[in-house]
């Protein structure tokens, strides 16, 4: 959980407790949970992290919070304050093509993408060796093994 999300969670708890105290004073024994259960708070923080809260309807649909119609705008304001959507920069055609610099530009015989991880240099797996008979090509539990103990069933 990032620092922004922790701050959002803390502010949601503060808002929940203050709102429950003023709007639902007759239920003060229940505390802030009467307005917004801690699971709803955690779900709203998860949804804010995933950038899935844009409207009050999103809160009601994804968090299944019964008070979303009445208090959703206040919650959305907190979400937008502490977990704002990232600003998207329009892509430029100049940033999508890698520039050739240095030695690759001078020597065209070097491939443009010569990463050692891109080509597989794994050794082939050795064939299995039987632990019972010592032959190559099967294991001791294989039906191909001459020395495999025969299973005997009691009738």
């Amino acid at each position: 959980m990032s620092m922004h999300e922790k701050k959002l969670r803390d502010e949601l708890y503060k808002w929940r407790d203050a709102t429950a105290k003023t709007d639902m004073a007759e239920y003060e024994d229940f505390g802030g949970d009467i307005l917004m259960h801690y699971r709803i708070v955690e779900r709203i923080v998860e949804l804010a992290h995933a950038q899935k809260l844009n409207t009050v309807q999103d809160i009601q649909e994804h968090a299944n919070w019964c008070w979303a119609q009445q208090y959703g705008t206040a919650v959305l304001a907190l979400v937008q304050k502490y977990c704002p959507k990232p600003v998207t920069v329009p892509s430029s055609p100049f940033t999508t093509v890698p520039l050739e610099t240095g030695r690759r530009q001078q020597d065209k015989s070097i491939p443009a993408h010569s990463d050692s991880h891109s080509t597989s240099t794994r050794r082939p797996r050795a064939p299995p060796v039987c632990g019972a008979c010592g032959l190559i090509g099967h294991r001791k539990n294989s039906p191909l093994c001459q020395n495999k103990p025969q299973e005997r069933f009691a009738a």
Side-chain angles (χ1 to χ4, degrees), residues 98-148:
L99 299 174
E100 289 188 16
T101 59
R103 203 168 150 218
R104 284 189 185 148
Q105 191 174 19
Q106 297 165 356
D107 187 5
K108 295 292 183 183
S109 65
I110 300 174
H113 297 286
S114 63
D115 295 337
S116 61
H117 299 291
S118 63
T119 58
S120 178
T121 57
R122 296 176 120 188
R123 291 186 345 194
R125 187 179 282 187
V129 177
C130 179
C133 68
L135 294 177
I136 297 174
H138 65 275
R139 301 232 183 252
K140 69 179 181 180
N141 292 335
S142 172
L144 300 175
C145 182
Q146 308 164 23
N147 295 345
K148 180 181 177 186

Side-chain angles (χ1 to χ4, degrees), residues 1 13 15 25 73 111 117 142 145:
M1 185 178 292
Y13 280 123
W15 172 86
T73 53
H117 299 291
S142 172
C145 182

